[in-house]
Structures are given as C-alpha cells and as structure tokens.
Amino acid sequence: PSFITTIIVVLSLAACNTNPYTVNNLHPNGDNLGGEMMDTFTVICKNVYHDSVVANNLQTITLGTINNNSDFGTTNASIYAQFNLPSSQFNFNSGTVVDSIFILFPYRSAYGETTAPLDIYLKTLDGHLGDVIDDSKLYYSNKSFALSSGSIGGKLAASFSITDSATDLGKKIQPLLKIPITNQLFISDLIAQNGSTTGAFFDNKSFHQYLNGIYIHNTSSATNGLLQLSTTDANYAGLMVYSHSATADSVKTFFPINVGGTINKFEHHFANSKVKQLITANTNQDSIYVNGLAGVRVKIYFPGLSALKNTVINKAEIIFENVNSSAMVTFAAPDNLLLTRINGATGGEISLEDITEGSPITTLTDAIYYGGINTKGKYTFNISRYLQKLVNGTYTNDGFFIEAYNAAARPGQIVLGGKNSSVKKIKLKIIYTKIK
C-alpha cells in the first residue's frame, strides 16, 4: 500500500505541471488514480475594517477626498512631507531674495472624479511637542502628528490636470502638482538659517529638527477623487525655492523629498454606507466589499476543508467575481487582489506559499501561478500548495483575508460575490486524489 501511495503522489503532481489551469489535464478521462473534483463548499464571508498599513517609504503617495460613496463612504488621504537639504553644510548665496517657494510632486495618476477642484492647505509639524518624524522608523496610515497653528500656504479652488505640462522658469516640464508656500514669516526664517556651521543647514538631522515636516491636506467637501503623486523624481519631488541675488538671477534651490520621512495618512468614514450596514449586521454576507488605502477587507472561511484529509491536492483555486460593474466606471477596480491566510493565534495575516511559486516576484503582477490579477472582473487564486499543507495537518483551518494588493498606495474598490450571490458567488474548486 505504501508503494501505491507514492505512485499516486508523483503522478498527480506531474499531471499538474502539464497545464495548471486546464481541469481536463488534471483529471483525464479514463484516469484510474481515483482523482475527484469538489466544488461545493459552505463558505462564511464577513466584511471587516482593514487595519492600518505601513505608510512611509512609498514610491506613490495619495492626496484628495472621495466623498459620500454609497458603498464605501468617505475616504480622505493627506500627507506628512519631510525634505532633505540640497547638500550638507548648505548655504544660500549672500543676499538671496526669495521670489517663490513651491512643494512639487509629479503626477502618477488620478482616481475617481477629478474635475472638481481641491482646496489644499499647508501646515508645519509642531516638533516642540516631542512628536516628531524619525525616518528610521515605520509609520502607519492612521498616524497623526501635532501641527502648528495657522497655514503657511496652499492652493485653493484649483483644478488639476495630470496630463498638461507644468512650467519651470518659463520652460515646459512634466505634469506636476505645485503648491505655493506664501507665509512670509516661514520664508524669511528659512533664509535666516544661512551662515551657521552647526545650524539647520549643517546636515539632514539638523534640518529635520528645524523643519520636521509639512502637512498637506484637502479641505474641500466637493471633491470626489484622488491624486496619485510620485516621491521618486530626483528633480521635482520636493520643495523648490526660486530666488535671485545681486550676483545671480533666476536661481533654483531644490530640497528633495525624504521618502522615509514622508507619510500618507488615510481616514475612512463609513457612516450611511453599505459597508457600515454589513459590518454592523455581522452576518454571513452575499456581497463582499474591498477597497484600498487600508479601507475594507473580508474574512473568508470554508469549514468543510477537513473533509479533504488523506488526499493529494492536484489543483485548488478560489475565484472571486465583480458584481457591480457599473460602479467601476468612476471608481476603478483594483488591478490585483491579495489572498492571505489568517493567523489564528494573532488574528494577523500570513502570505500563502503559492505566491512564490516559480521565480521570485517583485510585484503581484509577476505572480502568474498564484494569480489575483483582474481579468475582466474575475480574480482567480491558486492555493494548491497551501491547501496541501492544510490537509496534511501542518496548518489549522483559520480562514483567509481577501484585500486590495498594496493597500498603502492603491485606492481601487470593488464589490464581489460572496456566500450566495445569485450568479457570481465565491467558487472553490479542488482536484484531489485520495490516498488509500
């Protein structure tokens, strides 16, 4: 019997390598190995609020507001931005006169409705209260810092185009967000840091103690969209000072963004939304809601998986489908979703083994075997390796999370079929061979 068991395992896994997405290849007609397919499982689905996510060291940061979305409520994204010196032991030219100062961020994309203008306000962080940004630490998307009173500038009732060129000293450059700093006290105090060998311009540590960061936020309640901004542009992601002196006209001085000290803050308000109703009800749900920027995710549990004990898993897939395609016209669905297993001891999440099948990945779009890629509103995940360890007793059956991939930088949202959606409920398909 042990010899027969070994043959079953080897042949079943070999069959999986022929074409892992074709069921007929996994269980060909006339197969005598006893392979079977199971696609009827009880499922428990519950929408839950997403925990905060790490929100510094991001290549893409988000600014703006989605107001009163009937499914997901209100989402607000603001930024704590920190800047580095142009160089160590920096000094402005003698007699420098500032013409203007702007915070600059090149556009990456926009999300939602982007026709309504934003009202952007700028405030400095109040480092005197001891709550300062330390770029060696990780910060989460629900972090709040104390702010100084009064605004140092901003851009009110202004429309933005992510495709129109900007200007830099009369020359056309890439599209970017330009937020003016207009507070004269701030400007004069910045210039006054000149000349000291141990002052604010000595090194980045000294500069961060002087200007710990600037808070950038939208206050307009009329907006219904988000700007996605780059932090990685070496020429235009930062604070730009335009100035002149007796010896030089049209001087540019650039303080680049400090990516480790720049933090996205996300606030979600679910009052009167469908999400709020479902989470309050706390019942097994026919529709499940997922959005990015640490908004909402779903707990999923298949209690019947214990029936697969003493089997070899040839193929196992979980399939989710969009049930609200009309909403995707304005608020696009995520390009990728992420499926993880729940840590029963801590309530946290653990990556599935299947995500690293094949070569190492740099983004989820490389994980072809694992899946999770939006294919016309359908997301298919291969969980074969995970499920084999589950039925072998390596793991306990604690369920899954389904959430937006890269939730710190991607704002997509989608409604998926859940427990008993009429046409697009969750599907779990397993091809297995019994070990006799």
Side-chain angles (χ1 to χ4, degrees):
S2 61
F3 174 76
I4 295 174
T5 299
T6 302
I7 295 296
I8 290 173
V9 171
V10 173
L11 292 181
S12 296
L13 294 179
C16 186
N17 290 330
T18 58
N19 185 338
Y21 285 95
T22 304
V23 170
N24 288 336
N25 285 350
L26 294 172
H27 181 42
N29 292 332
D31 185 1
N32 294 319
L33 296 177
E36 299 182 35
M37 178 174 179
M38 183 183 297
D39 61 2
T40 303
F41 289 89
T42 299
V43 58
I44 299 172
C45 307
K46 292 187 178 182
N47 291 270
V48 295
Y49 299 129
H50 201 302
D51 296 333
S52 59
V53 294
V54 174
N56 61 327
N57 289 298
L58 300 177
Q59 295 184 6
T60 301
I61 53 177
T62 306
L63 176 68
T65 307
I66 296 175
N67 273 301
N68 301 320
N69 180 295
S70 60
D71 285 330
F72 292 92
T74 296
T75 297
N76 188 70
S78 52
I79 301 164
Y80 298 103
Q82 192 178 67
F83 308 94
N84 288 332
L85 290 172
S87 61
S88 295
Q89 301 183 50
F90 164 77
N91 270 308
F92 287 104
N93 292 333
S94 178
T96 289
V97 177
V98 173
D99 299 313
S100 57
I101 301 181
F102 292 92
I103 295 176
L104 308 177
F105 285 109
Y107 294 119
R108 287 196 184 274
S109 62
Y111 185 81
E113 299 172 354
T114 57
T115 55
L118 300 179
D119 288 340
I120 299 177
Y121 280 85
L122 304 177
K123 288 188 174 184
T124 57
L125 275 64
D126 190 346
H128 294 94
L129 297 180
D131 190 17
V132 297
I133 297 174
D134 179 350
D135 62 8
S136 67
K137 297 181 179 180
L138 295 179
Y139 290 97
Y140 288 81
S141 55
N142 59 353
K143 175 64 177 175
S144 295
F145 290 91
L147 303 174
S148 298
S149 60
S151 172
I152 62 167
K155 194 167 186 176
L156 308 182
S159 298
F160 305 94
S161 171
I162 66 170
T163 57
D164 291 345
S165 299
T167 58
D168 182 20
L169 295 179
K171 295 181 180 180
K172 285 188 176 182
I173 57 173
Q174 68 199 83
L176 50 78
L177 175 64
K178 298 178 67 173
I179 312 170
I181 293 177
T182 55
N183 184 285
Q184 291 302 311
L185 181 60
F186 175 92
I187 294 171
S188 60
D189 194 59
L190 181 68
I191 297 297
Q193 304 309 307
N194 243 22
S196 173
T197 58
T198 59
F201 289 167
F202 178 72
D203 58 17
N204 284 329
K205 181 179 179 181
S206 301
F207 185 59
H208 296 160
Q209 290 173 347
Y210 165 71
L211 178 61
N212 194 243
I214 295 176
Y215 183 54
I216 309 168
H217 64 123
N218 169 55
T219 63
S220 172
S221 60
T223 57
N224 207 27
L226 305 169
L227 298 174
Q228 298 238 268
L229 310 170
S230 171
T231 63
T232 58
D233 190 294
N235 298 312
Y236 289 109
L239 188 149
M240 185 75 81
V241 179
Y242 295 96
S243 64
H244 68 273
S245 67
T247 57
D249 293 328
S250 302
V251 177
K252 296 194 306 182
T253 306
F254 185 59
F255 294 75
I257 198 78
N258 180 25
V259 180
T262 295
I263 306 158
N264 236 163
K265 180 181 179 180
F266 306 135
E267 298 171 281
H268 297 273
H269 304 283
F270 298 101
N272 302 317
S273 69
K274 185 64 175 178
V275 163
K276 180 68 172 181
Q277 297 173 28
L278 291 172
I279 291 178
T280 301
N282 194 30
T283 56
N284 197 3
Q285 289 146 10
D286 294 338
S287 296
I288 56 180
Y289 291 67
V290 174
N291 70 335
L293 306 185
V296 182
R297 60 180 175 178
V298 182
K299 283 185 176 180
I300 301 167
Y301 179 61
F302 295 95
L305 294 180
S306 59
L308 294 168
K309 188 176 181 180
N310 298 323
T311 62
V312 173
I313 304 301
N314 305 101
K315 184 69 177 178
E317 292 179 333
I318 298 182
I319 302 170
F320 301 86
E321 293 190 68
N322 173 29
V323 297
N324 191 12
S325 57
S326 61
M328 300 303 101
V329 175
T330 301
F331 300 105
D335 293 330
N336 305 84
L337 295 179
L338 181 66
L339 186 73
T340 57
R341 63 184 179 92
I342 297 175
N343 185 327
T346 67
E349 57 188 314
I350 304 173
S351 295
L352 302 180
E353 291 85 341
D354 304 88
I355 199 170
T356 56
E357 179 71 16
S359 59
I361 64 170
T362 55
T363 68
L364 198 57
T365 54
D366 300 325
I368 303 302
Y369 174 85
Y370 167 78
I373 301 168
N374 186 350
T375 306
K376 298 181 178 179
K378 180 185 291 187
Y379 301 82
T380 301
F381 293 90
N382 189 339
I383 62 167
S384 306
R385 294 177 63 193
Y386 156 76
L387 193 58
Q388 187 64 69
K389 289 193 174 183
L390 178 65
V391 301
N392 288 348
T394 305
Y395 299 142
T396 56
N397 183 16
D398 296 313
F400 303 94
F401 283 121
I402 183 75
E403 61 192 64
Y405 168 65
N406 196 2
R410 299 189 180 185
Q413 60 185 51
I414 192 166
V415 182
L416 303 165
K419 172 180 70 78
N420 287 318
S421 180
S422 58
V423 291
K424 296 182 178 179
K425 64 182 178 181
I426 295 174
K427 298 181 181 68
L428 174 59
K429 295 182 179 181
I430 302 173
I431 309 296
Y432 66 95
T433 302
K434 292 181 178 178
I435 300 176
K436 299 180 180 179

